[in-house]
Coordinates of all heavy atoms in Angstrom, one line a residue:
M1 N -19.8 204.5 84.2 CA -18.5 203.9 84.2 C -17.6 204.5 85.2 O -16.4 204.6 85.0 CB -18.0 204.1 82.8 CG -16.9 203.2 82.4 SD -17.2 202.0 81.2 CE -15.6 201.5 81.1
G2 N -18.2 204.9 86.3 CA -17.4 205.5 87.4 C -16.7 204.4 88.2 O -16.9 203.2 88.1
L3 N -15.8 204.9 89.1 CA -15.0 204.0 90.0 C -15.9 203.8 91.2 O -16.3 204.7 91.9 CB -13.7 204.7 90.4 CG -12.8 203.9 91.2 CD1 -12.3 202.7 90.4 CD2 -11.6 204.8 91.7
S4 N -16.2 202.5 91.5 CA -17.0 202.1 92.6 C -16.1 201.2 93.5 O -15.1 200.6 93.1 CB -18.3 201.5 92.2 OG -18.0 200.2 91.7
L5 N -16.6 201.1 94.8 CA -15.9 200.2 95.7 C -15.9 198.8 95.3 O -14.9 198.1 95.4 CB -16.5 200.3 97.1 CG -15.9 199.6 98.2 CD1 -14.4 200.1 98.4 CD2 -16.6 199.7 99.5
A6 N -17.0 198.3 94.7 CA -17.1 196.9 94.2 C -16.0 196.7 93.1 O -15.4 195.6 93.1 CB -18.4 196.6 93.7
K7 N -15.9 197.6 92.2 CA -14.9 197.4 91.1 C -13.5 197.4 91.6 O -12.6 196.7 91.2 CB -15.1 198.6 90.0 CG -16.3 198.5 89.2 CD -16.4 199.6 88.2 CE -17.7 199.6 87.4 NZ -17.8 200.7 86.5
L8 N -13.2 198.3 92.6 CA -11.9 198.4 93.2 C -11.6 197.1 93.9 O -10.4 196.5 93.7 CB -11.8 199.5 94.2 CG -10.5 199.8 94.8 CD1 -9.4 200.2 93.7 CD2 -10.6 200.9 95.8
I9 N -12.5 196.5 94.7 CA -12.3 195.3 95.4 C -12.1 194.1 94.4 O -11.2 193.3 94.6 CB -13.4 195.0 96.4 CG1 -13.4 196.0 97.5 CG2 -13.4 193.6 96.9 CD1 -14.6 195.9 98.5
F10 N -12.9 194.1 93.4 CA -12.7 193.0 92.3 C -11.4 193.1 91.7 O -10.7 192.1 91.5 CB -13.9 193.2 91.3 CG -13.7 192.2 90.2 CD1 -14.1 190.9 90.4 CD2 -13.2 192.6 89.0 CE1 -13.9 189.9 89.3 CE2 -13.0 191.6 87.9 CZ -13.4 190.3 88.1
T11 N -10.9 194.3 91.4 CA -9.6 194.4 90.7 C -8.5 194.0 91.6 O -7.6 193.3 91.2 CB -9.4 195.9 90.3 OG1 -10.5 196.3 89.5 CG2 -8.1 196.1 89.6
V12 N -8.6 194.3 92.9 CA -7.5 193.9 93.9 C -7.5 192.4 94.0 O -6.5 191.7 94.0 CB -7.7 194.6 95.2 CG1 -6.8 194.0 96.3 CG2 -7.4 196.1 95.1
L13 N -8.7 191.8 94.1 CA -8.8 190.3 94.2 C -8.3 189.6 93.0 O -7.7 188.6 93.0 CB -10.3 189.9 94.6 CG -10.7 190.3 96.0 CD1 -12.2 189.9 96.2 CD2 -9.9 189.6 97.0
A14 N -8.6 190.2 91.8 CA -8.2 189.6 90.6 C -6.6 189.6 90.5 O -6.0 188.6 90.1 CB -8.8 190.3 89.4
I15 N -6.0 190.7 90.9 CA -4.6 190.8 90.9 C -3.9 189.8 91.8 O -3.0 189.1 91.5 CB -4.1 192.3 91.2 CG1 -4.5 193.2 90.0 CG2 -2.6 192.3 91.5 CD1 -4.3 194.7 90.3
I16 N -4.5 189.7 93.0 CA -4.0 188.7 94.0 C -4.1 187.3 93.5 O -3.2 186.5 93.6 CB -4.7 188.9 95.4 CG1 -4.3 190.3 96.0 CG2 -4.4 187.8 96.3 CD1 -5.0 190.6 97.2
G17 N -5.3 187.0 92.9 CA -5.5 185.7 92.3 C -4.5 185.3 91.2 O -3.9 184.2 91.2
V18 N -4.3 186.3 90.3 CA -3.4 186.0 89.2 C -1.9 185.8 89.8 O -1.2 184.9 89.3 CB -3.4 187.1 88.2 CG1 -2.3 187.0 87.2 CG2 -4.7 187.1 87.4
W19 N -1.6 186.6 90.7 CA -0.2 186.6 91.3 C 0.0 185.2 92.0 O 1.0 184.6 91.9 CB 0.0 187.7 92.3 CG 1.3 187.8 92.9 CD1 2.5 187.9 92.4 CD2 1.6 187.6 94.3 NE1 3.5 187.9 93.3 CE2 3.0 187.7 94.5 CE3 0.8 187.4 95.4 CZ2 3.6 187.6 95.8 CZ3 1.4 187.3 96.7 CH2 2.7 187.4 96.8
T20 N -1.1 184.7 92.8 CA -1.0 183.5 93.5 C -0.9 182.3 92.5 O 0.0 181.4 92.7 CB -2.2 183.3 94.4 OG1 -2.3 184.4 95.3 CG2 -2.1 182.0 95.1
I21 N -1.6 182.3 91.4 CA -1.6 181.3 90.4 C -0.2 181.3 89.7 O 0.4 180.2 89.5 CB -2.7 181.4 89.4 CG1 -4.0 181.1 90.0 CG2 -2.5 180.5 88.2 CD1 -5.2 181.5 89.2
F22 N 0.3 182.4 89.5 CA 1.7 182.5 88.9 C 2.7 181.9 89.8 O 3.6 181.2 89.3 CB 2.0 184.0 88.6 CG 3.4 184.2 88.0 CD1 3.7 183.9 86.7 CD2 4.4 184.7 88.9 CE1 5.0 184.0 86.2 CE2 5.7 184.9 88.4 CZ 6.0 184.5 87.1
R23 N 2.7 182.2 91.1 CA 3.6 181.6 92.0 C 3.5 180.1 92.1 O 4.5 179.4 92.1 CB 3.4 182.2 93.4 CG 4.0 183.7 93.5 CD 3.9 184.2 94.9 NE 4.2 183.2 95.9 CZ 3.8 183.2 97.2 NH1 2.9 184.2 97.6 NH2 4.2 182.3 98.0
L24 N 2.3 179.6 92.1 CA 2.1 178.1 92.2 C 2.7 177.5 90.9 O 3.3 176.4 91.0 CB 0.6 177.8 92.3 CG 0.0 178.2 93.7 CD1 -1.4 177.9 93.7 CD2 0.7 177.4 94.8
V25 N 2.4 178.1 89.7 CA 2.9 177.5 88.5 C 4.5 177.6 88.5 O 5.1 176.6 88.0 CB 2.3 178.3 87.3 CG1 3.0 177.9 86.0 CG2 0.8 177.9 87.2
Q26 N 5.0 178.6 89.0 CA 6.5 178.8 89.0 C 7.1 177.8 89.9 O 8.1 177.2 89.6 CB 6.8 180.2 89.4 CG 8.3 180.5 89.3 CD 8.6 182.0 89.7 OE1 7.8 182.6 90.4 NE2 9.7 182.5 89.2
R27 N 6.5 177.5 91.1 CA 7.0 176.5 92.0 C 7.0 175.1 91.4 O 7.9 174.3 91.6 CB 6.3 176.5 93.3 CG 6.7 177.6 94.2 CD 6.0 177.4 95.6 NE 6.2 178.6 96.4 CZ 5.4 179.1 97.3 NH1 4.3 178.5 97.5 NH2 5.7 180.1 98.0
K28 N 5.9 174.9 90.7 CA 5.7 173.5 90.1 C 6.8 173.3 89.1 O 7.3 172.3 88.9 CB 4.3 173.4 89.6 CG 4.1 172.0 89.0 CD 2.6 171.8 88.8 CE 2.4 170.4 88.2 NZ 1.7 169.5 89.0
A29 N 7.0 174.4 88.3 CA 8.0 174.3 87.2 C 9.4 174.1 87.8 O 10.3 173.4 87.2 CB 8.0 175.6 86.3
L30 N 9.7 174.7 88.9 CA 11.0 174.5 89.6 C 11.1 173.2 90.4 O 12.2 172.8 90.8 CB 11.3 175.7 90.5 CG 11.5 177.0 89.7 CD1 11.7 178.1 90.7 CD2 12.7 176.9 88.8
G31 N 10.0 172.6 90.6 CA 9.9 171.3 91.4 C 10.1 171.5 92.9 O 10.5 170.6 93.6
R32 N 9.7 172.6 93.4 CA 9.8 172.9 94.8 C 8.4 172.8 95.4 O 7.4 173.2 94.8 CB 10.4 174.3 95.1 CG 11.8 174.4 94.8 CD 12.4 175.7 95.3 NE 11.9 176.7 94.4 CZ 11.9 178.0 94.7 NH1 12.3 178.4 95.8 NH2 11.5 178.9 93.8
R33 N 8.4 172.4 96.7 CA 7.1 172.4 97.4 C 7.2 173.6 98.4 O 8.3 174.0 98.8 CB 7.0 171.1 98.2 CG 6.7 170.0 97.3 CD 6.4 168.7 98.1 NE 6.6 168.7 99.5 CZ 7.0 167.7 100.2 NH1 7.3 166.6 99.6 NH2 7.1 167.8 101.5
P34 N 6.1 174.2 98.7 CA 6.1 175.3 99.6 C 6.5 174.9 101.0 O 6.2 173.8 101.4 CB 4.6 175.8 99.7 CG 3.8 174.9 98.8 CD 4.7 173.9 98.2
Q35 N 7.4 175.6 101.6 CA 7.9 175.3 103.0 C 7.3 176.2 104.0 O 7.0 177.4 103.8 CB 9.4 175.5 103.0 CG 10.2 174.4 102.2 CD 11.6 174.6 102.4 OE1 12.1 175.7 102.6 NE2 12.4 173.5 102.4
T36 N 7.1 175.6 105.2 CA 6.7 176.3 106.4 C 7.9 177.0 107.0 O 9.0 176.6 106.7 CB 6.0 175.4 107.4 OG1 7.0 174.5 107.9 CG2 4.8 174.6 106.8
P37 N 7.6 178.0 107.8 CA 8.8 178.7 108.4 C 9.6 177.7 109.3 O 10.8 177.8 109.4 CB 8.1 179.8 109.3 CG 6.8 180.1 108.6 CD 6.4 178.8 108.0
A38 N 8.9 176.7 109.9 CA 9.6 175.7 110.7 C 10.6 174.9 109.8 O 11.7 174.6 110.2 CB 8.7 174.9 111.5
A39 N 10.1 174.5 108.7 CA 10.9 173.7 107.8 C 12.1 174.5 107.3 O 13.2 173.9 107.1 CB 10.0 173.2 106.6
R40 N 11.9 175.7 107.0 CA 13.0 176.6 106.5 C 14.0 176.7 107.7 O 15.2 176.7 107.4 CB 12.5 178.0 106.1 CG 11.9 177.9 104.7 CD 11.6 179.3 104.2 NE 10.8 180.2 105.0 CZ 9.5 180.3 104.9 NH1 8.9 179.7 104.0 NH2 8.8 181.1 105.7
G41 N 13.6 176.9 108.9 CA 14.5 177.0 110.0 C 15.3 175.7 110.3 O 16.5 175.7 110.6
A42 N 14.6 174.6 110.1 CA 15.3 173.3 110.3 C 16.3 173.1 109.2 O 17.4 172.6 109.5 CB 14.2 172.1 110.3
E43 N 16.0 173.5 108.0 CA 17.0 173.3 106.9 C 18.2 174.2 107.2 O 19.4 173.9 106.9 CB 16.4 173.7 105.6 CG 17.3 173.5 104.4 CD 17.9 172.1 104.2 OE1 17.2 171.1 104.6 OE2 19.1 172.0 103.8
A44 N 18.0 175.5 107.6 CA 19.1 176.4 108.0 C 19.9 175.8 109.1 O 21.2 175.9 109.1 CB 18.5 177.7 108.4
A45 N 19.3 175.2 110.1 CA 20.1 174.6 111.2 C 20.9 173.4 110.7 O 22.1 173.3 111.1 CB 19.1 174.1 112.3
R46 N 20.4 172.6 109.8 CA 21.2 171.5 109.2 C 22.4 172.0 108.4 O 23.5 171.5 108.5 CB 20.3 170.6 108.3 CG 19.4 169.6 109.1 CD 18.8 168.6 108.1 NE 17.7 169.2 107.3 CZ 16.5 169.4 107.7 NH1 16.1 169.0 108.9 NH2 15.6 169.9 106.9
R47 N 22.1 173.1 107.6 CA 23.3 173.6 106.9 C 24.3 174.2 107.8 O 25.5 174.0 107.6 CB 22.8 174.8 106.0 CG 22.1 174.3 104.7 CD 21.9 175.4 103.7 NE 21.2 176.5 104.2 CZ 19.9 176.7 104.2 NH1 19.1 175.9 103.6 NH2 19.4 177.8 104.7
T48 N 23.9 174.9 108.9 CA 24.9 175.4 109.8 C 25.7 174.3 110.5 O 26.9 174.4 110.7 CB 24.2 176.3 110.8 OG1 23.5 177.3 110.2 CG2 25.1 176.9 111.9
T49 N 25.0 173.3 110.9 CA 25.6 172.2 111.6 C 26.6 171.5 110.6 O 27.7 171.1 111.1 CB 24.6 171.1 112.1 OG1 23.7 171.8 113.0 CG2 25.3 170.0 112.9
R50 N 26.3 171.3 109.4 CA 27.2 170.6 108.5 C 28.4 171.5 108.2 O 29.5 171.0 108.1 CB 26.4 170.3 107.2 CG 25.5 169.2 107.3 CD 24.8 168.9 106.0 NE 23.8 167.9 106.2 CZ 22.6 167.9 105.7 NH1 22.2 168.9 105.0 NH2 21.7 166.9 105.9
A51 N 28.2 172.8 108.1 CA 29.3 173.7 107.9 C 30.2 173.7 109.1 O 31.5 173.7 108.9 CB 28.8 175.1 107.7
R52 N 29.7 173.7 110.3 CA 30.6 173.6 111.5 C 31.3 172.3 111.5 O 32.5 172.3 111.9 CB 29.7 173.8 112.7 CG 29.3 175.1 113.0 CD 28.5 175.2 114.3 NE 28.0 176.5 114.6 CZ 27.1 176.8 115.6 NH1 26.7 175.8 116.4 NH2 26.7 178.0 115.8
A53 N 30.7 171.2 111.1 CA 31.3 169.9 111.2 C 32.5 169.9 110.1 O 33.5 169.4 110.4 CB 30.3 168.8 110.8
R54 N 32.2 170.5 109.0 CA 33.3 170.5 108.0 C 34.5 171.4 108.5 O 35.6 171.1 108.2 CB 32.8 171.1 106.6 CG 32.0 170.0 105.8 CD 31.8 170.5 104.4 NE 30.9 171.7 104.4 CZ 29.6 171.6 104.3 NH1 29.0 170.5 104.3 NH2 28.9 172.7 104.3
A55 N 34.2 172.5 109.1 CA 35.2 173.4 109.6 C 36.0 172.7 110.7 O 37.2 172.9 110.9 CB 34.6 174.7 110.1
S56 N 35.4 171.8 111.5 CA 36.1 171.2 112.6 C 36.8 169.9 112.1 O 37.5 169.3 112.9 CB 35.1 170.8 113.8 OG 34.2 169.8 113.4
G57 N 36.6 169.5 110.9 CA 37.3 168.4 110.4 C 36.6 167.1 110.4 O 37.1 166.0 110.1
A58 N 35.3 167.1 110.7 CA 34.5 165.8 110.7 C 34.3 165.4 109.3 O 34.2 166.2 108.4 CB 33.1 166.1 111.3
T59 N 34.3 164.0 109.1 CA 34.3 163.5 107.7 C 32.8 163.3 107.2 O 32.5 163.6 106.1 CB 35.0 162.2 107.6 OG1 34.5 161.3 108.6 CG2 36.5 162.4 107.9
D60 N 32.0 162.8 108.1 CA 30.6 162.5 107.7 C 29.6 163.3 108.5 O 29.4 162.9 109.7 CB 30.3 161.0 107.8 CG 29.0 160.6 107.1 OD1 28.4 161.5 106.5 OD2 28.6 159.5 107.3
S61 N 29.0 164.3 108.0 CA 28.2 165.2 108.8 C 26.8 164.6 109.1 O 26.1 165.1 109.9 CB 28.0 166.6 108.1 OG 27.3 166.4 106.8
D62 N 26.5 163.5 108.4 CA 25.2 162.9 108.7 C 25.2 162.1 110.0 O 24.2 161.8 110.6 CB 24.7 162.0 107.5 CG 24.4 162.8 106.3 OD1 24.0 164.0 106.5 OD2 24.5 162.2 105.2
D63 N 26.4 161.7 110.4 CA 26.5 160.9 111.7 C 27.1 161.7 112.8 O 28.0 161.2 113.5 CB 27.3 159.6 111.4 CG 26.6 158.7 110.4 OD1 25.4 158.7 110.4 OD2 27.4 158.0 109.7
L64 N 26.6 162.9 113.0 CA 27.2 163.7 114.1 C 26.5 163.4 115.4 O 25.3 163.2 115.4 CB 26.9 165.2 113.7 CG 27.7 165.8 112.6 CD1 27.3 167.2 112.4 CD2 29.2 165.7 112.9
D65 N 27.3 163.5 116.5 CA 26.7 163.4 117.8 C 26.6 164.8 118.3 O 27.6 165.6 118.4 CB 27.7 162.6 118.7 CG 27.6 161.1 118.4 OD1 26.6 160.6 117.9 OD2 28.7 160.5 118.6
L66 N 25.4 165.3 118.5 CA 25.2 166.7 118.9 C 25.0 166.7 120.4 O 24.4 165.8 121.0 CB 23.9 167.2 118.3 CG 24.0 167.3 116.7 CD1 22.6 167.9 116.2 CD2 25.1 168.2 116.3
V67 N 25.5 167.7 121.0 CA 25.4 167.9 122.5 C 24.8 169.3 122.7 O 25.0 170.2 121.9 CB 26.7 167.7 123.2 CG1 27.2 166.3 123.2 CG2 27.8 168.7 122.7
R68 N 24.1 169.4 123.8 CA 23.4 170.7 124.2 C 24.4 171.6 124.9 O 25.1 171.1 125.8 CB 22.2 170.5 125.0 CG 21.4 171.7 125.3 CD 20.2 171.4 126.2 NE 19.2 170.9 125.4 CZ 18.1 171.5 125.0 NH1 17.9 172.8 125.3 NH2 17.2 170.9 124.3
C69 N 24.5 172.8 124.5 CA 25.4 173.8 125.2 C 24.7 174.1 126.6 O 23.5 174.4 126.6 CB 25.5 175.1 124.4 SG 26.3 176.4 125.3
P70 N 25.5 174.0 127.7 CA 24.8 174.2 129.0 C 24.5 175.7 129.2 O 23.6 176.0 130.0 CB 25.9 173.8 130.0 CG 27.2 173.8 129.2 CD 26.9 173.6 127.7
D71 N 25.1 176.6 128.4 CA 24.9 178.0 128.7 C 23.6 178.5 127.9 O 22.8 179.2 128.5 CB 26.1 178.9 128.2 CG 27.3 178.6 129.1 OD1 27.1 178.2 130.3 OD2 28.4 178.6 128.6
C72 N 23.5 178.2 126.6 CA 22.4 178.8 125.8 C 21.4 177.7 125.3 O 20.4 178.1 124.8 CB 23.0 179.5 124.6 SG 23.8 178.4 123.4
G73 N 21.8 176.4 125.4 CA 20.8 175.4 125.0 C 20.9 175.0 123.6 O 20.1 174.1 123.1
A74 N 21.8 175.6 122.8 CA 21.9 175.2 121.4 C 22.6 173.9 121.2 O 23.4 173.5 122.1 CB 22.7 176.3 120.7
F75 N 22.3 173.1 120.2 CA 22.9 171.9 119.9 C 24.1 172.1 119.0 O 23.9 172.7 117.9 CB 21.9 170.9 119.3 CG 21.0 170.3 120.3 CD1 19.7 170.9 120.5 CD2 21.3 169.3 121.1 CE1 18.8 170.4 121.4 CE2 20.4 168.8 122.0 CZ 19.2 169.3 122.2
V76 N 25.2 171.6 119.3 CA 26.5 171.8 118.5 C 27.1 170.4 118.4 O 26.9 169.5 119.3 CB 27.4 172.8 119.2 CG1 26.9 174.2 119.2 CG2 27.8 172.4 120.5
P77 N 27.9 170.2 117.4 CA 28.6 168.9 117.3 C 29.6 168.7 118.5 O 30.2 169.6 119.0 CB 29.5 169.0 116.0 CG 28.7 170.1 115.2 CD 28.1 171.0 116.2
Q78 N 29.6 167.5 118.9 CA 30.4 167.1 120.1 C 31.9 167.5 119.8 O 32.5 167.2 118.8 CB 30.4 165.6 120.4 CG 31.0 165.2 121.7 CD 30.7 163.8 122.0 OE1 30.2 163.0 121.2 NE2 30.9 163.4 123.2
G79 N 32.5 168.2 120.8 CA 33.9 168.6 120.7 C 34.0 170.0 120.0 O 35.1 170.5 119.9
T80 N 32.9 170.6 119.6 CA 33.0 171.9 119.0 C 32.5 172.9 120.0 O 31.4 172.7 120.5 CB 32.1 172.0 117.7 OG1 32.5 170.9 116.8 CG2 32.2 173.3 117.0
P81 N 33.2 174.0 120.2 CA 32.7 175.0 121.1 C 31.5 175.7 120.5 O 31.4 176.0 119.3 CB 33.8 176.0 121.3 CG 34.7 175.8 120.1 CD 34.5 174.4 119.7
C82 N 30.5 176.1 121.4 CA 29.3 176.8 121.0 C 29.7 178.3 120.7 O 30.7 178.8 121.3 CB 28.3 176.7 122.1 SG 26.7 177.5 121.6
S83 N 29.0 178.9 119.8 CA 29.2 180.3 119.5 C 29.0 181.2 120.7 O 29.6 182.3 120.8 CB 28.4 180.7 118.3 OG 27.0 180.6 118.7
C84 N 28.2 180.8 121.7 CA 28.0 181.7 122.8 C 29.3 181.7 123.7 O 29.5 182.6 124.4 CB 26.8 181.2 123.7 SG 27.0 179.7 124.6
Q85 N 30.1 180.6 123.7 CA 31.3 180.6 124.5 C 32.4 181.3 123.8 O 33.4 181.6 124.5 CB 31.7 179.1 124.7 CG 30.6 178.3 125.5 CD 30.9 176.8 125.5 OE1 31.8 176.3 124.8 NE2 30.2 176.1 126.3
K86 N 32.3 181.6 122.6 CA 33.3 182.4 121.8 C 33.2 183.9 122.1 O 34.1 184.6 121.9 CB 33.2 182.1 120.3 CG 33.6 180.6 120.0 CD 33.4 180.4 118.5 CE 33.6 179.0 118.1 NZ 33.3 178.7 116.7
R87 N 32.0 184.3 122.5 CA 31.8 185.7 122.7 C 32.5 186.2 124.0 O 32.5 185.5 125.0 CB 30.3 186.1 122.9 CG 29.6 186.0 121.5 CD 28.1 186.5 121.8 NE 27.3 185.4 121.2 CZ 26.2 184.9 121.9 NH1 25.9 185.4 123.0 NH2 25.6 183.9 121.4
P88 N 33.1 187.4 124.0 CA 33.7 187.9 125.2 C 32.6 188.2 126.3 O 31.6 188.7 125.9 CB 34.4 189.1 124.8 CG 33.9 189.5 123.5 CD 33.3 188.3 122.9
S89 N 32.9 187.9 127.5 CA 31.9 188.1 128.6 C 32.0 189.5 129.1 O 33.0 190.1 129.3 CB 32.1 187.1 129.7 OG 31.8 185.8 129.2

């Protein structure tokens, strides 16, 4: 009944399996789908753009005209200064 490498590997794999199943069940209960890093980044960009639009007084953030900043290449709502232009040079 000694500790062997096979028992150690089996124990680690069992813990990882139970943890993965728990996470999947928890996500299903919350009604969320797993997101890729790109999807999380896109959602963060949408939230930032909507927040900037609300701050600048735009009424409907879904119909924004975005323009590319000539300095850094970021897309910002038309008429809103980019954050790179606000930094002191």
